[in-house]
mmCIF file with all atom_site columns, all heavy atoms in Angstrom:
data_model
loop_
_atom_site.group_PDB
_atom_site.id
_atom_site.type_symbol
_atom_site.label_atom_id
_atom_site.label_alt_id
_atom_site.label_comp_id
_atom_site.label_asym_id
_atom_site.label_entity_id
_atom_site.label_seq_id
_atom_site.pdbx_PDB_ins_code
_atom_site.Cartn_x
_atom_site.Cartn_y
_atom_site.Cartn_z
_atom_site.occupancy
_atom_site.B_iso_or_equiv
_atom_site.pdbx_formal_charge
_atom_site.auth_seq_id
_atom_site.auth_comp_id
_atom_site.auth_asym_id
_atom_site.auth_atom_id
_atom_site.pdbx_PDB_model_num
ATOM 1   N N   . THR M 1 273 ? 25.978 -21.503 56.861 1.00 0.00 ? 1750 THR M N   1
ATOM 2   C CA  . THR M 1 273 ? 27.126 -22.229 57.367 1.00 0.00 ? 1750 THR M CA  1
ATOM 3   C C   . THR M 1 273 ? 28.353 -21.942 56.499 1.00 0.00 ? 1750 THR M C   1
ATOM 4   O O   . THR M 1 273 ? 29.429 -21.742 56.991 1.00 0.00 ? 1750 THR M O   1
ATOM 5   C CB  . THR M 1 273 ? 26.766 -23.679 57.483 1.00 0.00 ? 1750 THR M CB  1
ATOM 6   O OG1 . THR M 1 273 ? 25.710 -23.866 58.430 1.00 0.00 ? 1750 THR M OG1 1
ATOM 7   C CG2 . THR M 1 273 ? 27.979 -24.525 57.986 1.00 0.00 ? 1750 THR M CG2 1
ATOM 8   N N   . LEU M 1 274 ? 28.072 -22.135 55.144 1.00 0.00 ? 1751 LEU M N   1
ATOM 9   C CA  . LEU M 1 274 ? 29.220 -21.964 54.315 1.00 0.00 ? 1751 LEU M CA  1
ATOM 10  C C   . LEU M 1 274 ? 29.793 -20.556 54.273 1.00 0.00 ? 1751 LEU M C   1
ATOM 11  O O   . LEU M 1 274 ? 31.034 -20.326 54.341 1.00 0.00 ? 1751 LEU M O   1
ATOM 12  C CB  . LEU M 1 274 ? 28.783 -22.282 52.886 1.00 0.00 ? 1751 LEU M CB  1
ATOM 13  C CG  . LEU M 1 274 ? 28.430 -23.754 52.609 1.00 0.00 ? 1751 LEU M CG  1
ATOM 14  C CD1 . LEU M 1 274 ? 27.920 -23.871 51.164 1.00 0.00 ? 1751 LEU M CD1 1
ATOM 15  C CD2 . LEU M 1 274 ? 29.777 -24.562 52.711 1.00 0.00 ? 1751 LEU M CD2 1
ATOM 16  N N   . TYR M 1 275 ? 28.888 -19.598 54.298 1.00 0.00 ? 1752 TYR M N   1
ATOM 17  C CA  . TYR M 1 275 ? 29.387 -18.164 54.393 1.00 0.00 ? 1752 TYR M CA  1
ATOM 18  C C   . TYR M 1 275 ? 30.119 -17.779 55.696 1.00 0.00 ? 1752 TYR M C   1
ATOM 19  O O   . TYR M 1 275 ? 31.034 -17.005 55.645 1.00 0.00 ? 1752 TYR M O   1
ATOM 20  C CB  . TYR M 1 275 ? 28.174 -17.167 54.147 1.00 0.00 ? 1752 TYR M CB  1
ATOM 21  C CG  . TYR M 1 275 ? 27.830 -16.941 52.673 1.00 0.00 ? 1752 TYR M CG  1
ATOM 22  C CD1 . TYR M 1 275 ? 26.389 -16.995 52.323 1.00 0.00 ? 1752 TYR M CD1 1
ATOM 23  C CD2 . TYR M 1 275 ? 28.775 -16.670 51.682 1.00 0.00 ? 1752 TYR M CD2 1
ATOM 24  C CE1 . TYR M 1 275 ? 26.144 -16.832 51.030 1.00 0.00 ? 1752 TYR M CE1 1
ATOM 25  C CE2 . TYR M 1 275 ? 28.421 -16.601 50.453 1.00 0.00 ? 1752 TYR M CE2 1
ATOM 26  C CZ  . TYR M 1 275 ? 27.111 -16.609 50.055 1.00 0.00 ? 1752 TYR M CZ  1
ATOM 27  O OH  . TYR M 1 275 ? 26.768 -16.372 48.767 1.00 0.00 ? 1752 TYR M OH  1
ATOM 28  N N   . ARG M 1 276 ? 29.662 -18.372 56.761 1.00 0.00 ? 1753 ARG M N   1
ATOM 29  C CA  . ARG M 1 276 ? 30.274 -18.202 58.042 1.00 0.00 ? 1753 ARG M CA  1
ATOM 30  C C   . ARG M 1 276 ? 31.784 -18.758 57.892 1.00 0.00 ? 1753 ARG M C   1
ATOM 31  O O   . ARG M 1 276 ? 32.766 -18.128 58.354 1.00 0.00 ? 1753 ARG M O   1
ATOM 32  C CB  . ARG M 1 276 ? 29.636 -18.911 59.140 1.00 0.00 ? 1753 ARG M CB  1
ATOM 33  C CG  . ARG M 1 276 ? 28.326 -18.134 59.650 1.00 0.00 ? 1753 ARG M CG  1
ATOM 34  C CD  . ARG M 1 276 ? 27.898 -18.816 60.942 1.00 0.00 ? 1753 ARG M CD  1
ATOM 35  N NE  . ARG M 1 276 ? 26.512 -18.490 61.302 1.00 0.00 ? 1753 ARG M NE  1
ATOM 36  C CZ  . ARG M 1 276 ? 26.091 -17.508 61.900 1.00 0.00 ? 1753 ARG M CZ  1
ATOM 37  N NH1 . ARG M 1 276 ? 26.941 -16.473 62.114 1.00 0.00 ? 1753 ARG M NH1 1
ATOM 38  N NH2 . ARG M 1 276 ? 24.815 -17.279 62.203 1.00 0.00 ? 1753 ARG M NH2 1
ATOM 39  N N   . GLU M 1 277 ? 31.804 -20.001 57.497 1.00 0.00 ? 1754 GLU M N   1
ATOM 40  C CA  . GLU M 1 277 ? 33.218 -20.616 57.201 1.00 0.00 ? 1754 GLU M CA  1
ATOM 41  C C   . GLU M 1 277 ? 34.101 -19.771 56.313 1.00 0.00 ? 1754 GLU M C   1
ATOM 42  O O   . GLU M 1 277 ? 35.298 -19.647 56.538 1.00 0.00 ? 1754 GLU M O   1
ATOM 43  C CB  . GLU M 1 277 ? 33.056 -21.966 56.665 1.00 0.00 ? 1754 GLU M CB  1
ATOM 44  C CG  . GLU M 1 277 ? 32.363 -22.995 57.637 1.00 0.00 ? 1754 GLU M CG  1
ATOM 45  C CD  . GLU M 1 277 ? 32.047 -24.268 57.024 1.00 0.00 ? 1754 GLU M CD  1
ATOM 46  O OE1 . GLU M 1 277 ? 32.292 -24.451 55.784 1.00 0.00 ? 1754 GLU M OE1 1
ATOM 47  O OE2 . GLU M 1 277 ? 31.530 -25.185 57.743 1.00 0.00 ? 1754 GLU M OE2 1
ATOM 48  N N   . LEU M 1 278 ? 33.600 -19.250 55.144 1.00 0.00 ? 1755 LEU M N   1
ATOM 49  C CA  . LEU M 1 278 ? 34.398 -18.444 54.259 1.00 0.00 ? 1755 LEU M CA  1
ATOM 50  C C   . LEU M 1 278 ? 34.745 -17.164 54.897 1.00 0.00 ? 1755 LEU M C   1
ATOM 51  O O   . LEU M 1 278 ? 35.935 -16.668 54.729 1.00 0.00 ? 1755 LEU M O   1
ATOM 52  C CB  . LEU M 1 278 ? 33.482 -18.206 53.053 1.00 0.00 ? 1755 LEU M CB  1
ATOM 53  C CG  . LEU M 1 278 ? 33.225 -19.382 52.050 1.00 0.00 ? 1755 LEU M CG  1
ATOM 54  C CD1 . LEU M 1 278 ? 32.149 -19.071 51.156 1.00 0.00 ? 1755 LEU M CD1 1
ATOM 55  C CD2 . LEU M 1 278 ? 34.575 -19.766 51.326 1.00 0.00 ? 1755 LEU M CD2 1
ATOM 56  N N   . ALA M 1 279 ? 33.871 -16.539 55.653 1.00 0.00 ? 1756 ALA M N   1
ATOM 57  C CA  . ALA M 1 279 ? 34.253 -15.255 56.317 1.00 0.00 ? 1756 ALA M CA  1
ATOM 58  C C   . ALA M 1 279 ? 35.363 -15.476 57.418 1.00 0.00 ? 1756 ALA M C   1
ATOM 59  O O   . ALA M 1 279 ? 36.063 -14.567 57.629 1.00 0.00 ? 1756 ALA M O   1
ATOM 60  C CB  . ALA M 1 279 ? 32.961 -14.707 56.991 1.00 0.00 ? 1756 ALA M CB  1
ATOM 61  N N   . ALA M 1 280 ? 35.300 -16.672 58.138 1.00 0.00 ? 1757 ALA M N   1
ATOM 62  C CA  . ALA M 1 280 ? 36.237 -16.922 59.117 1.00 0.00 ? 1757 ALA M CA  1
ATOM 63  C C   . ALA M 1 280 ? 37.531 -17.303 58.616 1.00 0.00 ? 1757 ALA M C   1
ATOM 64  O O   . ALA M 1 280 ? 38.585 -16.869 59.156 1.00 0.00 ? 1757 ALA M O   1
ATOM 65  C CB  . ALA M 1 280 ? 35.732 -18.044 60.057 1.00 0.00 ? 1757 ALA M CB  1
ATOM 66  N N   . ALA M 1 281 ? 37.539 -18.149 57.515 1.00 0.00 ? 1758 ALA M N   1
ATOM 67  C CA  . ALA M 1 281 ? 38.781 -18.693 56.956 1.00 0.00 ? 1758 ALA M CA  1
ATOM 68  C C   . ALA M 1 281 ? 39.474 -17.785 55.898 1.00 0.00 ? 1758 ALA M C   1
ATOM 69  O O   . ALA M 1 281 ? 40.716 -17.915 55.708 1.00 0.00 ? 1758 ALA M O   1
ATOM 70  C CB  . ALA M 1 281 ? 38.623 -20.132 56.494 1.00 0.00 ? 1758 ALA M CB  1
ATOM 71  N N   . LYS M 1 282 ? 38.646 -17.133 55.145 1.00 0.00 ? 1759 LYS M N   1
ATOM 72  C CA  . LYS M 1 282 ? 39.131 -16.463 53.997 1.00 0.00 ? 1759 LYS M CA  1
ATOM 73  C C   . LYS M 1 282 ? 39.214 -14.951 54.063 1.00 0.00 ? 1759 LYS M C   1
ATOM 74  O O   . LYS M 1 282 ? 40.308 -14.425 54.339 1.00 0.00 ? 1759 LYS M O   1
ATOM 75  C CB  . LYS M 1 282 ? 38.216 -16.812 52.667 1.00 0.00 ? 1759 LYS M CB  1
ATOM 76  C CG  . LYS M 1 282 ? 38.209 -18.388 52.511 1.00 0.00 ? 1759 LYS M CG  1
ATOM 77  C CD  . LYS M 1 282 ? 39.539 -18.929 52.069 1.00 0.00 ? 1759 LYS M CD  1
ATOM 78  C CE  . LYS M 1 282 ? 39.521 -20.410 51.816 1.00 0.00 ? 1759 LYS M CE  1
ATOM 79  N NZ  . LYS M 1 282 ? 40.867 -21.010 51.564 1.00 0.00 ? 1759 LYS M NZ  1
ATOM 80  N N   . ASN M 1 283 ? 38.154 -14.367 53.898 1.00 0.00 ? 1760 ASN M N   1
ATOM 81  C CA  . ASN M 1 283 ? 38.064 -12.870 53.746 1.00 0.00 ? 1760 ASN M CA  1
ATOM 82  C C   . ASN M 1 283 ? 36.860 -12.308 54.434 1.00 0.00 ? 1760 ASN M C   1
ATOM 83  O O   . ASN M 1 283 ? 35.855 -12.276 53.644 1.00 0.00 ? 1760 ASN M O   1
ATOM 84  C CB  . ASN M 1 283 ? 38.345 -12.443 52.303 1.00 0.00 ? 1760 ASN M CB  1
ATOM 85  C CG  . ASN M 1 283 ? 38.603 -10.917 52.244 1.00 0.00 ? 1760 ASN M CG  1
ATOM 86  O OD1 . ASN M 1 283 ? 38.288 -10.149 53.031 1.00 0.00 ? 1760 ASN M OD1 1
ATOM 87  N ND2 . ASN M 1 283 ? 39.247 -10.547 51.055 1.00 0.00 ? 1760 ASN M ND2 1
ATOM 88  N N   . PRO M 1 284 ? 36.894 -11.861 55.649 1.00 0.00 ? 1761 PRO M N   1
ATOM 89  C CA  . PRO M 1 284 ? 35.619 -11.316 56.234 1.00 0.00 ? 1761 PRO M CA  1
ATOM 90  C C   . PRO M 1 284 ? 34.977 -10.200 55.463 1.00 0.00 ? 1761 PRO M C   1
ATOM 91  O O   . PRO M 1 284 ? 33.854 -10.003 55.392 1.00 0.00 ? 1761 PRO M O   1
ATOM 92  C CB  . PRO M 1 284 ? 36.000 -10.956 57.608 1.00 0.00 ? 1761 PRO M CB  1
ATOM 93  C CG  . PRO M 1 284 ? 37.522 -10.872 57.649 1.00 0.00 ? 1761 PRO M CG  1
ATOM 94  C CD  . PRO M 1 284 ? 37.910 -11.930 56.567 1.00 0.00 ? 1761 PRO M CD  1
ATOM 95  N N   . ASP M 1 285 ? 35.939 -9.263  54.826 1.00 0.00 ? 1762 ASP M N   1
ATOM 96  C CA  . ASP M 1 285 ? 35.388 -8.107  54.140 1.00 0.00 ? 1762 ASP M CA  1
ATOM 97  C C   . ASP M 1 285 ? 34.577 -8.566  53.009 1.00 0.00 ? 1762 ASP M C   1
ATOM 98  O O   . ASP M 1 285 ? 33.637 -7.928  52.658 1.00 0.00 ? 1762 ASP M O   1
ATOM 99  C CB  . ASP M 1 285 ? 36.546 -7.270  53.694 1.00 0.00 ? 1762 ASP M CB  1
ATOM 100 C CG  . ASP M 1 285 ? 37.349 -6.582  54.863 1.00 0.00 ? 1762 ASP M CG  1
ATOM 101 O OD1 . ASP M 1 285 ? 36.708 -6.452  55.926 1.00 0.00 ? 1762 ASP M OD1 1
ATOM 102 O OD2 . ASP M 1 285 ? 38.413 -6.176  54.715 1.00 0.00 ? 1762 ASP M OD2 1
ATOM 103 N N   . VAL M 1 286 ? 34.892 -9.634  52.444 1.00 0.00 ? 1763 VAL M N   1
ATOM 104 C CA  . VAL M 1 286 ? 34.084 -10.132 51.216 1.00 0.00 ? 1763 VAL M CA  1
ATOM 105 C C   . VAL M 1 286 ? 32.917 -10.843 51.607 1.00 0.00 ? 1763 VAL M C   1
ATOM 106 O O   . VAL M 1 286 ? 31.820 -10.705 51.058 1.00 0.00 ? 1763 VAL M O   1
ATOM 107 C CB  . VAL M 1 286 ? 34.993 -11.033 50.384 1.00 0.00 ? 1763 VAL M CB  1
ATOM 108 C CG1 . VAL M 1 286 ? 34.259 -11.753 49.230 1.00 0.00 ? 1763 VAL M CG1 1
ATOM 109 C CG2 . VAL M 1 286 ? 36.181 -10.209 49.717 1.00 0.00 ? 1763 VAL M CG2 1
ATOM 110 N N   . TYR M 1 287 ? 32.975 -11.711 52.634 1.00 0.00 ? 1764 TYR M N   1
ATOM 111 C CA  . TYR M 1 287 ? 31.896 -12.628 52.969 1.00 0.00 ? 1764 TYR M CA  1
ATOM 112 C C   . TYR M 1 287 ? 30.963 -12.235 54.117 1.00 0.00 ? 1764 TYR M C   1
ATOM 113 O O   . TYR M 1 287 ? 29.889 -12.767 54.151 1.00 0.00 ? 1764 TYR M O   1
ATOM 114 C CB  . TYR M 1 287 ? 32.467 -14.048 53.268 1.00 0.00 ? 1764 TYR M CB  1
ATOM 115 C CG  . TYR M 1 287 ? 33.091 -14.626 51.947 1.00 0.00 ? 1764 TYR M CG  1
ATOM 116 C CD1 . TYR M 1 287 ? 34.518 -14.766 51.911 1.00 0.00 ? 1764 TYR M CD1 1
ATOM 117 C CD2 . TYR M 1 287 ? 32.378 -14.953 50.831 1.00 0.00 ? 1764 TYR M CD2 1
ATOM 118 C CE1 . TYR M 1 287 ? 35.045 -15.360 50.679 1.00 0.00 ? 1764 TYR M CE1 1
ATOM 119 C CE2 . TYR M 1 287 ? 32.930 -15.512 49.724 1.00 0.00 ? 1764 TYR M CE2 1
ATOM 120 C CZ  . TYR M 1 287 ? 34.327 -15.652 49.634 1.00 0.00 ? 1764 TYR M CZ  1
ATOM 121 O OH  . TYR M 1 287 ? 34.903 -16.132 48.517 1.00 0.00 ? 1764 TYR M OH  1
ATOM 122 N N   . LEU M 1 288 ? 31.367 -11.270 54.918 1.00 0.00 ? 1765 LEU M N   1
ATOM 123 C CA  . LEU M 1 288 ? 30.475 -10.886 56.018 1.00 0.00 ? 1765 LEU M CA  1
ATOM 124 C C   . LEU M 1 288 ? 29.117 -10.234 55.401 1.00 0.00 ? 1765 LEU M C   1
ATOM 125 O O   . LEU M 1 288 ? 28.106 -10.458 56.041 1.00 0.00 ? 1765 LEU M O   1
ATOM 126 C CB  . LEU M 1 288 ? 31.113 -9.890  56.954 1.00 0.00 ? 1765 LEU M CB  1
ATOM 127 C CG  . LEU M 1 288 ? 31.954 -10.507 58.106 1.00 0.00 ? 1765 LEU M CG  1
ATOM 128 C CD1 . LEU M 1 288 ? 32.525 -9.499  58.968 1.00 0.00 ? 1765 LEU M CD1 1
ATOM 129 C CD2 . LEU M 1 288 ? 31.029 -11.423 58.941 1.00 0.00 ? 1765 LEU M CD2 1
ATOM 130 N N   . PRO M 1 289 ? 29.230 -9.441  54.324 1.00 0.00 ? 1766 PRO M N   1
ATOM 131 C CA  . PRO M 1 289 ? 27.879 -8.955  53.753 1.00 0.00 ? 1766 PRO M CA  1
ATOM 132 C C   . PRO M 1 289 ? 26.998 -10.144 53.344 1.00 0.00 ? 1766 PRO M C   1
ATOM 133 O O   . PRO M 1 289 ? 25.796 -10.088 53.499 1.00 0.00 ? 1766 PRO M O   1
ATOM 134 C CB  . PRO M 1 289 ? 28.313 -8.193  52.572 1.00 0.00 ? 1766 PRO M CB  1
ATOM 135 C CG  . PRO M 1 289 ? 29.711 -7.675  52.916 1.00 0.00 ? 1766 PRO M CG  1
ATOM 136 C CD  . PRO M 1 289 ? 30.336 -8.830  53.625 1.00 0.00 ? 1766 PRO M CD  1
#
Side-chain angles (χ1 to χ4, degrees):
T1750 299
L1751 291 175
Y1752 278 134
R1753 287 192 196 279
E1754 293 172 357
L1755 289 164
K1759 300 296 179 185
N1760 190 336
D1762 290 340
V1763 171
Y1764 295 110
L1765 274 179

